[in-house]
Amino acid sequence: MIQWLDIAVQTPAHSQVGGLLTYRHVPAPEINSHLTEGALVRVPLGSRDLLGVVWAIHNTPPEGLKETRVRDVAGVLEGLPPLPVAWRQLVQFAAQYYQRSIGEVAMAALPPQLRDLNAAQLARRLKKQSLHPTEAAGVAAGLALSAQQSETLVAIEAQAGPFLVFGATGSGKTEVYLQAVQRRLEANPQAQALLMVPEINLTPQLEARVIARFGADRVVSMHSGMTPAQRLNSWLAAHTGRARIVLGTRMAVFASMPHLKLIVVDEEHDPSYKQQEGARYSARDLAIYRGRLEGAKVILGSATPSLESWHHSRPAAEGGRYQRLLMPERVGAGQLPLVRRVDMNNQPRKTVLSAPLLAAIQARVERGEQCMLLLNRRGYAPVLHCADCGWKSECSHCSAFRVFHKLDRTLRCHHCGFTERVPRACPACGNADIAALGRGTEQLEEHLAELLIAVRRPDGQAVKILRIDADSTQHKGALERQLAQVHSGEVDVLVGTQMIAKGHDFRRITLVAAINPDNALFSSDFRAPERLFALLMQAGGRAGRDAAQSAQSEMWVQTFHPQHDVFAALKKHDYPAFAASQLTEREQAGLPPWSFQALLRADARSQEVAQAFLNAARQALQTQGDEDPAFADMLTQVSLYPAVPMSIQRVANVERAQMLIESPSRMALQKVLAELQPVLHAQRAEPQHKGLIRWLVDVDPLAI
Ligand code: ADP
Ligand code: ZN
Ligand code: ZN
């Protein structure tokens, strides 16, 4: 009997009707070659051959379809088990929730090389998987747990979750995750676990630790830094069940794992769990959804949980849905750093490093301890400026300044990449005296070297300063080398952007300083204080991780607003108080988690066209409400704000505008978004919207 198949293939963004295409398959009766749902196939589209996933199978041709126009499936990827039903449900949910086609999400979740291999190549790869017996070696013993770690593990074993492990930096959360994984693997000879981290290359230590514990045969990684061949191998290992543990970044939430029993989301607050292009999914939120689909336990962990997760883990009696587990103490009685605020109002104008901070750094270095200086801005200076005529180093393609990089004497736009040599004189008036405004990490590094020139380490050598940021780590392997220098103790002072604040288990750092964190206090983004607090807590968490280091560790904050809530809460290491005050503010303002948001963005040749397109879509939705009372009912629960320019309104000569859509009801918001797509397609065809380049929808956006 002929099979009629709905197949997910890579379709252009915004294709309508879910993006599934219809194909035919005529099974050969003698070899029972019926296709099953989830099968991976090759299908013709135009003159091309595409990879596809069988999504649904019908025994009769779909109504209204000209049978003669339906093409046959070109081939099946032999030897590959079909994609599990839970995987397909996850993809389908993500596509619908984040407003993309099923095919796009499905194909992004599969390794690109799967498209390119012929049958023989694929067979060879699969054979390699079977050569690695799963039970080759034993699992290394875990550490003897502290009482607090044991209690957490017992709670995870006893209850269903999802869990939010709220544990201080260095409280031994990672050890709890590893032992929870171990228990799952022991309980079931097939069980698989997914361990997600924000950025793997930032934590090579963790990868080594997981492999040391479970054996290289059982563990595979999944992240965007891997070659296509590595990605395919990892994917096959997970999909065939050989790999018991997948360690990955946000993309790993879509790994095909037929026996998934546990998902851990480490540092669950980290913004990098949100994908920022294509389907803009939150891997943390999908992890929760996936856990429910698969009956797998989900553990979120952080010292500074996202306010959403914190809110979800309030007591069940108040409506909480997650189980909150507390780990307040650091392992081995290591103390959290003493927080010291330096009031920059009392410092001489243009001070970069205040005298007391400088003295503290010097004292630490002389004792052989390490310091870490955080400045969230790379380059030498954010702007060059001519005092005579007012010229500034604007980017000609963006509404942003180009950053001065002194090391290679360039002006670089961090938005579009446009780069030029630094001019010798002001391009507008010829004045030779153009000056740098503001400071970046390059300048801080240079300045620090001058200030510490006479200081000596205990071994009599000069102070070694190292800068780690996106510029210093461009080349493959550079970051690993630089981190190794810190771990080995070669480096005395580490200067860097937020890259250095996250997750590292630096043993010898006893002083951390935030040089200029004030910018974030006055951002228009309501999440800015939350992000700043998390960054500073995490940065502070790099200090004093080794209790054997005798000195009290310190976290310094240079600020013009020492009384600000963020710093006051930081001083007390009081995340719960900070979270409570932020959540109260958000409740009063009707912001998430009390409401749900989506951003509709339009890119166009002119700002007028971008805004007009958005406003027209909004108008069309309202007109639709006038005609359909049920939809009007939905619309009353949803606020559609007028279009506004984005905060950086022009990037690479493209004008950008956005429209905020907000509702206290997630369902109402989803219903309106579902109606929005056809409206946008219709609007695009209108002549007055000529010049529109694209639109995109960001559901649960992280930045407004
Ligand atoms: P977190 O993930 O909470 O920041 P980690 O799990 O990385 O903390 O633990 C911090 C440090 O303490 C690590 O160096 C780890 O090896 C060590 N550690 C964790 N648990 C124990 C334990 N039970 N006994 C001894 N050392 C431990
Ligand atoms: Zn000038
Ligand atoms: Zn630019």
Side-chain angles (χ1 to χ4, degrees):
M1 185 156 58
I2 295 175
Q3 294 184 301
W4 301 88
L5 311 167
D6 295 336
I7 294 188
V9 297
Q10 181 70 58
T11 45
H14 310 309
S15 350
Q16 298 189 52
V17 287
L20 297 175
L21 301 181
T22 303
Y23 288 88
R24 233 174 53 130
H25 176 62
V26 187
E30 61 279 11
I31 54 165
N32 188 21
S33 66
H34 284 83
L35 288 175
T36 54
E37 290 181 352
L40 281 147
V41 293
R42 274 190 246 297
V43 294
L45 186 70
S47 59
R48 294 180 304 158
D49 239 5
L50 298 182
L51 181 66
V53 178
V54 176
W55 219 258
I57 301 178
H58 313 279
N59 292 325
T60 51
E63 258 174 62
L65 200 83
K66 277 220 186 65
E67 278 187 45
T68 48
R69 293 191 46 199
V70 178
R71 300 172 75 177
D72 281 352
V73 167
V76 181
L77 276 68
E78 297 291 345
L80 273 185
L83 289 153
V85 59
W87 182 88
R88 281 177 280 133
Q89 288 170 338
L90 176 71
V91 166
Q92 187 151 347
F93 170 78
Q96 187 202 328
Y97 187 81
Y98 295 106
Q99 301 285 311
R100 308 296 289 198
S101 74
I102 291 176
E104 184 194 3
V105 177
M107 291 309 129
L110 296 174
Q113 239 191 16
L114 213 47
R115 284 191 292 248
D116 309 328
L117 295 189
N118 63 34
Q121 291 167 319
L122 183 60
R124 261 203 310 280
R125 295 292 176 80
L126 274 164
K127 193 155 165 237
K128 266 207 243 157
Q129 295 303 327
S130 59
L131 292 179
H132 293 278
T134 310
E135 295 309 326
V139 171
L143 301 171
L145 295 183
S146 68
Q148 164 182 273
Q149 285 172 317
S150 299
E151 279 162 30
T152 307
L153 190 60
V154 165
I156 289 170
E157 288 296 307
Q159 292 155 31
F163 303 95
L164 174 66
V165 176
F166 170 51
T169 50
S171 59
K173 295 185 289 299
T174 310
E175 188 60 31
V176 171
Y177 307 150
L178 295 184
Q179 299 208 15
V181 169
Q182 192 167 341
R183 299 257 180 127
R184 290 270 83 65
L185 300 202
E186 282 165 5
N188 173 339
Q190 290 189 308
Q192 294 177 297
L194 172 60
L195 203 53
M196 292 207 288
V197 292
E199 285 158 271
I200 281 193
N201 57 349
L202 285 187
T203 44
Q205 270 182 317
L206 177 65
E207 198 172 6
R209 195 164 153 195
V210 176
I211 289 174
R213 182 70 54 90
F214 295 102
D217 276 357
R218 290 195 186 82
V219 183
V220 294
S221 299
M222 273 188 202
H223 56 89
S224 56
M226 292 163 61
T227 65
Q230 289 170 329
R231 264 180 80 173
L232 178 64
N233 279 336
S234 290
W235 186 84
L236 286 174
H239 179 61
T240 57
R242 176 182 74 74
R244 306 288 299 280
I245 299 166
V246 171
L247 174 63
T249 52
R250 61 173 178 261
M251 62 156 62
V253 77
F254 287 113
S256 167
M257 300 175 76
H259 308 293
L260 183 62
K261 294 288 177 276
L262 175 67
I263 307 176
V264 176
V265 185
D266 190 20
E267 311 290 6
E268 66 86 30
H269 64 279
D270 198 292
S272 61
Y273 282 119
K274 185 82 165 37
Q275 167 76 17
Q276 293 297 357
E277 55 193 41
R280 299 182 162 224
Y281 62 86
S282 156
R284 178 196 63 217
D285 295 351
L286 287 180
I288 298 281
Y289 189 86
R290 183 169 187 180
R292 207 163 52 210
L293 276 176
E294 311 240 14
K297 290 202 189 206
V298 181
I299 308 174
L300 311 180
S302 178
T304 51
S306 63
L307 290 177
E308 279 81 2
S309 298
W310 186 251
H311 183 62
H312 291 324
S313 68
R314 67 200 184 278
E318 294 166 28
R321 297 183 283 115
Y322 303 173
Q323 190 79 32
R324 190 185 292 171
L325 304 172
L326 309 181
M327 294 179 62
E329 321 261 293
R330 277 186 150 185
V331 169
Q335 293 292 306
L336 284 170
L338 178 71
V339 175
R340 313 192 57 165
R341 292 165 288 184
V342 180
D343 187 344
M344 295 303 277
N345 296 297
N346 302 334
Q347 298 292 322
R349 265 193 79 230
K350 299 206 167 172
T351 299
V352 183
L353 285 173
S354 57
L357 174 56
L358 187 63
I361 293 172
Q362 179 169 343
R364 300 268 168 183
V365 170
E366 283 170 346
R367 288 206 300 265
E369 298 169 24
Q370 290 176 318
C371 302
M372 181 174 117
L373 271 54
L374 184 69
L375 180 61
N376 227 352
R377 191 167 244 175
R378 65 195 169 89
Y380 191 85
V383 193
L384 277 190
H385 173 236
C386 169
D388 276 8
C389 76
W391 172 87
K392 284 182 175 168
S393 56
E394 258 161 286
C395 176
S396 46
H397 310 290
C398 307
S399 47
F401 294 114
R402 281 177 300 161
V403 175
F404 174 36
H405 289 256
K406 191 174 177 186
L407 287 176
D408 58 4
R409 308 236 24 115
T410 57
L411 285 180
R412 266 190 252 161
C413 176
H414 288 183
H415 300 281
C416 73
F418 177 51
T419 302
E420 278 182 334
R421 300 276 305 163
V422 173
R424 290 182 188 288
C426 172
C429 75
N431 169 22
D433 190 22
I434 42 180
L437 279 187
R439 259 168 294 287
T441 46
E442 264 184 25
Q443 191 176 164
L444 181 60
E445 179 189 20
E446 178 188 280
H447 189 57
L448 202 58
E450 287 161 11
L451 293 170
L452 297 178
I453 194 154
V455 178
R456 290 289 170 269
R457 316 164 16 142
D459 62 8
Q461 292 197 27
V463 179
K464 166 99 180 164
I465 301 168
L466 179 73
R467 173 172 54 88
I468 297 187
D469 55 26
D471 296 318
S472 78
T473 55
Q474 270 170 15
H475 299 290
K476 204 173 158 53
L479 177 64
E480 287 80 354
R481 267 199 311 283
Q482 291 166 8
L483 290 174
Q485 284 181 290
V486 183
H487 289 298
S488 74
E490 217 177 301
V491 169
D492 304 299
V493 184
L494 175 60
V495 173
T497 54
Q498 40 93 22
M499 274 175 108
I500 59 175
K502 294 182 179 179
H504 309 285
D505 193 16
F506 295 131
R507 308 305 295 175
R508 296 179 48 197
I509 288 183
T510 59
L511 182 151
V512 172
I515 301 306
N516 178 18
D518 283 353
N519 284 340
L521 297 177
F522 307 102
S523 163
S524 60
D525 186 342
F526 69 89
R527 282 195 177 82
E530 175 185 0
R531 274 200 299 270
L532 176 62
F533 184 80
L535 177 66
L536 296 178
M537 277 282 269
Q538 295 289 340
R542 301 314 111 205
R545 295 176 74 85
D546 193 344
Q549 292 264 11
S550 55
Q552 162 76 56
S553 64
E554 290 175 348
M555 162 97 204
W556 289 64
V557 177
Q558 296 193 143
T559 171
F560 288 94
H561 307 275
Q563 301 311 322
H564 196 283
D565 281 359
V566 169
F567 303 131
L570 184 73
K571 171 115 190 132
K572 294 191 219 126
H573 304 288
D574 195 349
Y575 170 85
F578 174 75
S581 77
Q582 284 286 310
L583 283 170
T584 305
E585 278 180 28
R586 294 220 194 149
E587 184 172 21
Q588 284 160 358
L591 289 169
W594 275 272
S595 67
F596 302 91
Q597 296 180 326
L599 275 182
L600 174 61
R601 186 177 117 192
D603 290 358
R605 292 285 158 227
S606 77
Q607 184 60 222
E608 292 69 40
V609 168
Q611 290 188 23
F613 176 74
L614 298 177
N615 288 329
R618 173 168 166 254
Q619 190 53 52
L621 280 177
Q622 262 139 13
T623 308
Q624 195 167 324
D626 295 341
E627 289 155 13
D628 174 355
F631 185 61
D633 216 39
M634 279 303 147
L635 273 182
T636 57
Q637 300 177 57
V638 176
S639 310
L640 294 146
Y641 291 90
V644 292
M646 289 186 62
S647 60
I648 296 174
Q649 102 172 47
R650 189 168 53 105
V651 168
N653 297 318
V654 171
E655 289 285 339
R656 309 163 341 143
Q658 67 181 24
M659 185 172 97
L660 177 64
I661 310 174
E662 194 176 62
S663 174
S665 154
R666 199 194 280 273
M667 199 216 17
L669 179 64
Q670 280 286 325
K671 288 243 158 85
V672 168
L673 290 178
E675 293 298 320
L676 187 58
Q677 291 294 350
V679 163
L680 293 170
H681 281 280
Q683 287 298 327
R684 162 170 244 176
E686 299 283 326
Q688 71 268 32
H689 298 137
K690 194 165 170 294
L692 180 78
I693 298 167
R694 67 181 84 84
W695 72 79
L696 49 93
V697 181
D698 188 350
V699 182
D700 303 331
L702 277 192
I704 303 277

PDB file of all heavy atoms in Angstrom, residues 394-402 412-418 650-653, ligand 3:
ATOM      1  N   GLU A 394      32.161  57.671  14.818  1.00  0.00           N
ATOM      2  CA  GLU A 394      30.937  56.955  14.484  1.00  0.00           C
ATOM      3  C   GLU A 394      31.176  55.950  13.365  1.00  0.00           C
ATOM      4  O   GLU A 394      32.051  56.143  12.529  1.00  0.00           O
ATOM      5  CB  GLU A 394      29.880  57.960  14.013  1.00  0.00           C
ATOM      6  CG  GLU A 394      28.856  58.264  15.081  1.00  0.00           C
ATOM      7  CD  GLU A 394      28.117  59.550  14.808  1.00  0.00           C
ATOM      8  OE1 GLU A 394      28.715  60.634  14.995  1.00  0.00           O
ATOM      9  OE2 GLU A 394      26.966  59.463  14.381  1.00  0.00           O
ATOM     10  N   CYS A 395      30.381  54.921  13.345  1.00  0.00           N
ATOM     11  CA  CYS A 395      30.423  53.981  12.226  1.00  0.00           C
ATOM     12  C   CYS A 395      29.511  54.529  11.144  1.00  0.00           C
ATOM     13  O   CYS A 395      28.383  54.939  11.423  1.00  0.00           O
ATOM     14  CB  CYS A 395      29.951  52.600  12.648  1.00  0.00           C
ATOM     15  SG  CYS A 395      29.897  51.444  11.263  1.00  0.00           S
ATOM     16  N   SER A 396      30.003  54.527   9.887  1.00  0.00           N
ATOM     17  CA  SER A 396      29.171  55.086   8.825  1.00  0.00           C
ATOM     18  C   SER A 396      28.012  54.159   8.454  1.00  0.00           C
ATOM     19  O   SER A 396      27.116  54.547   7.730  1.00  0.00           O
ATOM     20  CB  SER A 396      30.022  55.400   7.591  1.00  0.00           C
ATOM     21  OG  SER A 396      30.881  54.319   7.318  1.00  0.00           O
ATOM     22  N   HIS A 397      28.038  52.927   8.958  1.00  0.00           N
ATOM     23  CA  HIS A 397      26.972  51.985   8.602  1.00  0.00           C
ATOM     24  C   HIS A 397      26.002  51.707   9.738  1.00  0.00           C
ATOM     25  O   HIS A 397      24.982  51.056   9.532  1.00  0.00           O
ATOM     26  CB  HIS A 397      27.578  50.643   8.162  1.00  0.00           C
ATOM     27  CG  HIS A 397      28.654  50.795   7.132  1.00  0.00           C
ATOM     28  ND1 HIS A 397      28.383  51.179   5.847  1.00  0.00           N
ATOM     29  CD2 HIS A 397      29.996  50.661   7.208  1.00  0.00           C
ATOM     30  CE1 HIS A 397      29.517  51.250   5.165  1.00  0.00           C
ATOM     31  NE2 HIS A 397      30.513  50.947   5.975  1.00  0.00           N
ATOM     32  N   CYS A 398      26.359  52.160  10.947  1.00  0.00           N
ATOM     33  CA  CYS A 398      25.538  51.824  12.108  1.00  0.00           C
ATOM     34  C   CYS A 398      25.317  53.073  12.964  1.00  0.00           C
ATOM     35  O   CYS A 398      26.102  54.010  12.907  1.00  0.00           O
ATOM     36  CB  CYS A 398      26.230  50.779  12.994  1.00  0.00           C
ATOM     37  SG  CYS A 398      26.740  49.311  12.113  1.00  0.00           S
ATOM     38  N   SER A 399      24.282  53.040  13.770  1.00  0.00           N
ATOM     39  CA  SER A 399      24.124  54.118  14.732  1.00  0.00           C
ATOM     40  C   SER A 399      24.880  53.738  15.999  1.00  0.00           C
ATOM     41  O   SER A 399      24.285  53.469  17.036  1.00  0.00           O
ATOM     42  CB  SER A 399      22.649  54.382  15.006  1.00  0.00           C
ATOM     43  OG  SER A 399      21.977  53.168  15.244  1.00  0.00           O
ATOM     44  N   ALA A 400      26.192  53.670  15.867  1.00  0.00           N
ATOM     45  CA  ALA A 400      27.042  53.284  16.996  1.00  0.00           C
ATOM     46  C   ALA A 400      28.450  53.832  16.751  1.00  0.00           C
ATOM     47  O   ALA A 400      28.797  54.172  15.615  1.00  0.00           O
ATOM     48  CB  ALA A 400      27.096  51.769  17.120  1.00  0.00           C
ATOM     49  N   PHE A 401      29.220  53.935  17.828  1.00  0.00           N
ATOM     50  CA  PHE A 401      30.609  54.383  17.678  1.00  0.00           C
ATOM     51  C   PHE A 401      31.515  53.204  17.374  1.00  0.00           C
ATOM     52  O   PHE A 401      31.279  52.091  17.828  1.00  0.00           O
ATOM     53  CB  PHE A 401      31.082  55.075  18.952  1.00  0.00           C
ATOM     54  CG  PHE A 401      30.357  56.353  19.234  1.00  0.00           C
ATOM     55  CD1 PHE A 401      29.536  56.473  20.334  1.00  0.00           C
ATOM     56  CD2 PHE A 401      30.490  57.436  18.364  1.00  0.00           C
ATOM     57  CE1 PHE A 401      28.850  57.656  20.584  1.00  0.00           C
ATOM     58  CE2 PHE A 401      29.804  58.619  18.608  1.00  0.00           C
ATOM     59  CZ  PHE A 401      28.978  58.726  19.722  1.00  0.00           C
ATOM     60  N   ARG A 402      32.578  53.499  16.615  1.00  0.00           N
ATOM     61  CA  ARG A 402      33.593  52.473  16.429  1.00  0.00           C
ATOM     62  C   ARG A 402      34.575  52.541  17.596  1.00  0.00           C
ATOM     63  O   ARG A 402      34.915  53.618  18.089  1.00  0.00           O
ATOM     64  CB  ARG A 402      34.315  52.671  15.099  1.00  0.00           C
ATOM     65  CG  ARG A 402      33.487  52.138  13.930  1.00  0.00           C
ATOM     66  CD  ARG A 402      34.156  52.394  12.618  1.00  0.00           C
ATOM     67  NE  ARG A 402      34.357  53.826  12.422  1.00  0.00           N
ATOM     68  CZ  ARG A 402      35.221  54.330  11.551  1.00  0.00           C
ATOM     69  NH1 ARG A 402      35.968  53.530  10.815  1.00  0.00           N
ATOM     70  NH2 ARG A 402      35.336  55.634  11.422  1.00  0.00           N
ATOM     71  N   ARG A 412      37.194  49.917  15.128  1.00  0.00           N
ATOM     72  CA  ARG A 412      36.391  48.762  14.733  1.00  0.00           C
ATOM     73  C   ARG A 412      34.969  48.900  15.228  1.00  0.00           C
ATOM     74  O   ARG A 412      34.752  49.223  16.393  1.00  0.00           O
ATOM     75  CB  ARG A 412      36.970  47.491  15.370  1.00  0.00           C
ATOM     76  CG  ARG A 412      37.944  46.748  14.489  1.00  0.00           C
ATOM     77  CD  ARG A 412      38.234  45.411  15.121  1.00  0.00           C
ATOM     78  NE  ARG A 412      39.567  45.385  15.671  1.00  0.00           N
ATOM     79  CZ  ARG A 412      39.969  44.504  16.585  1.00  0.00           C
ATOM     80  NH1 ARG A 412      39.109  43.636  17.081  1.00  0.00           N
ATOM     81  NH2 ARG A 412      41.199  44.533  17.014  1.00  0.00           N
ATOM     82  N   CYS A 413      34.045  48.620  14.331  1.00  0.00           N
ATOM     83  CA  CYS A 413      32.642  48.613  14.745  1.00  0.00           C
ATOM     84  C   CYS A 413      32.314  47.230  15.282  1.00  0.00           C
ATOM     85  O   CYS A 413      32.485  46.234  14.584  1.00  0.00           O
ATOM     86  CB  CYS A 413      31.737  48.956  13.571  1.00  0.00           C
ATOM     87  SG  CYS A 413      29.996  48.830  14.015  1.00  0.00           S
ATOM     88  N   HIS A 414      31.844  47.176  16.509  1.00  0.00           N
ATOM     89  CA  HIS A 414      31.532  45.877  17.103  1.00  0.00           C
ATOM     90  C   HIS A 414      30.175  45.350  16.656  1.00  0.00           C
ATOM     91  O   HIS A 414      29.765  44.267  17.046  1.00  0.00           O
ATOM     92  CB  HIS A 414      31.586  45.962  18.631  1.00  0.00           C
ATOM     93  CG  HIS A 414      32.990  46.088  19.153  1.00  0.00           C
ATOM     94  ND1 HIS A 414      33.287  46.120  20.484  1.00  0.00           N
ATOM     95  CD2 HIS A 414      34.176  46.197  18.510  1.00  0.00           C
ATOM     96  CE1 HIS A 414      34.606  46.239  20.647  1.00  0.00           C
ATOM     97  NE2 HIS A 414      35.154  46.302  19.456  1.00  0.00           N
ATOM     98  N   HIS A 415      29.472  46.143  15.837  1.00  0.00           N
ATOM     99  CA  HIS A 415      28.165  45.686  15.361  1.00  0.00           C
ATOM    100  C   HIS A 415      28.226  45.141  13.944  1.00  0.00           C
ATOM    101  O   HIS A 415      27.647  44.114  13.645  1.00  0.00           O
ATOM    102  CB  HIS A 415      27.144  46.814  15.457  1.00  0.00           C
ATOM    103  CG  HIS A 415      26.984  47.293  16.866  1.00  0.00           C
ATOM    104  ND1 HIS A 415      26.225  46.614  17.785  1.00  0.00           N
ATOM    105  CD2 HIS A 415      27.537  48.340  17.526  1.00  0.00           C
ATOM    106  CE1 HIS A 415      26.308  47.231  18.946  1.00  0.00           C
ATOM    107  NE2 HIS A 415      27.091  48.283  18.825  1.00  0.00           N
ATOM    108  N   CYS A 416      28.935  45.857  13.039  1.00  0.00           N
ATOM    109  CA  CYS A 416      28.976  45.386  11.651  1.00  0.00           C
ATOM    110  C   CYS A 416      30.370  44.929  11.251  1.00  0.00           C
ATOM    111  O   CYS A 416      30.559  44.375  10.171  1.00  0.00           O
ATOM    112  CB  CYS A 416      28.505  46.481  10.700  1.00  0.00           C
ATOM    113  SG  CYS A 416      29.693  47.817  10.496  1.00  0.00           S
ATOM    114  N   GLY A 417      31.349  45.168  12.093  1.00  0.00           N
ATOM    115  CA  GLY A 417      32.697  44.700  11.786  1.00  0.00           C
ATOM    116  C   GLY A 417      33.537  45.681  10.982  1.00  0.00           C
ATOM    117  O   GLY A 417      34.724  45.444  10.751  1.00  0.00           O
ATOM    118  N   PHE A 418      32.934  46.785  10.528  1.00  0.00           N
ATOM    119  CA  PHE A 418      33.665  47.756   9.712  1.00  0.00           C
ATOM    120  C   PHE A 418      34.926  48.248  10.446  1.00  0.00           C
ATOM    121  O   PHE A 418      34.856  48.733  11.566  1.00  0.00           O
ATOM    122  CB  PHE A 418      32.748  48.935   9.381  1.00  0.00           C
ATOM    123  CG  PHE A 418      33.392  50.036   8.601  1.00  0.00           C
ATOM    124  CD1 PHE A 418      34.105  49.756   7.440  1.00  0.00           C
ATOM    125  CD2 PHE A 418      33.286  51.357   9.023  1.00  0.00           C
ATOM    126  CE1 PHE A 418      34.700  50.770   6.715  1.00  0.00           C
ATOM    127  CE2 PHE A 418      33.875  52.374   8.303  1.00  0.00           C
ATOM    128  CZ  PHE A 418      34.584  52.082   7.154  1.00  0.00           C
ATOM    129  N   ARG A 650      20.338  51.416  13.640  1.00  0.00           N
ATOM    130  CA  ARG A 650      20.835  51.058  12.310  1.00  0.00           C
ATOM    131  C   ARG A 650      22.089  50.208  12.471  1.00  0.00           C
ATOM    132  O   ARG A 650      23.019  50.569  13.185  1.00  0.00           O
ATOM    133  CB  ARG A 650      21.189  52.327  11.534  1.00  0.00           C
ATOM    134  CG  ARG A 650      21.525  52.107  10.061  1.00  0.00           C
ATOM    135  CD  ARG A 650      21.561  53.453   9.328  1.00  0.00           C
ATOM    136  NE  ARG A 650      22.457  54.376  10.023  1.00  0.00           N
ATOM    137  CZ  ARG A 650      23.678  54.699   9.598  1.00  0.00           C
ATOM    138  NH1 ARG A 650      24.151  54.211   8.488  1.00  0.00           N
ATOM    139  NH2 ARG A 650      24.421  55.531  10.300  1.00  0.00           N
ATOM    140  N   VAL A 651      22.117  49.052  11.850  1.00  0.00           N
ATOM    141  CA  VAL A 651      23.301  48.198  11.853  1.00  0.00           C
ATOM    142  C   VAL A 651      23.568  47.753  10.426  1.00  0.00           C
ATOM    143  O   VAL A 651      22.669  47.251   9.746  1.00  0.00           O
ATOM    144  CB  VAL A 651      23.121  46.965  12.771  1.00  0.00           C
ATOM    145  CG1 VAL A 651      24.236  45.946  12.536  1.00  0.00           C
ATOM    146  CG2 VAL A 651      23.095  47.385  14.235  1.00  0.00           C
ATOM    147  N   ALA A 652      24.799  47.960   9.966  1.00  0.00           N
ATOM    148  CA  ALA A 652      25.189  47.597   8.599  1.00  0.00           C
ATOM    149  C   ALA A 652      24.186  48.147   7.582  1.00  0.00           C
ATOM    150  O   ALA A 652      23.742  47.449   6.670  1.00  0.00           O
ATOM    151  CB  ALA A 652      25.334  46.080   8.468  1.00  0.00           C
ATOM    152  N   ASN A 653      23.818  49.404   7.766  1.00  0.00           N
ATOM    153  CA  ASN A 653      22.925  50.110   6.838  1.00  0.00           C
ATOM    154  C   ASN A 653      21.518  49.552   6.783  1.00  0.00           C
ATOM    155  O   ASN A 653      20.788  49.793   5.826  1.00  0.00           O
ATOM    156  CB  ASN A 653      23.507  50.146   5.420  1.00  0.00           C
ATOM    157  CG  ASN A 653      24.807  50.918   5.389  1.00  0.00           C
ATOM    158  OD1 ASN A 653      24.920  51.965   6.022  1.00  0.00           O
ATOM    159  ND2 ASN A 653      25.798  50.379   4.694  1.00  0.00           N
TER     160      ASN A 653
HETATM  161 ZN    ZN B   3      29.077  49.363  12.049  1.00  0.00          ZN
END
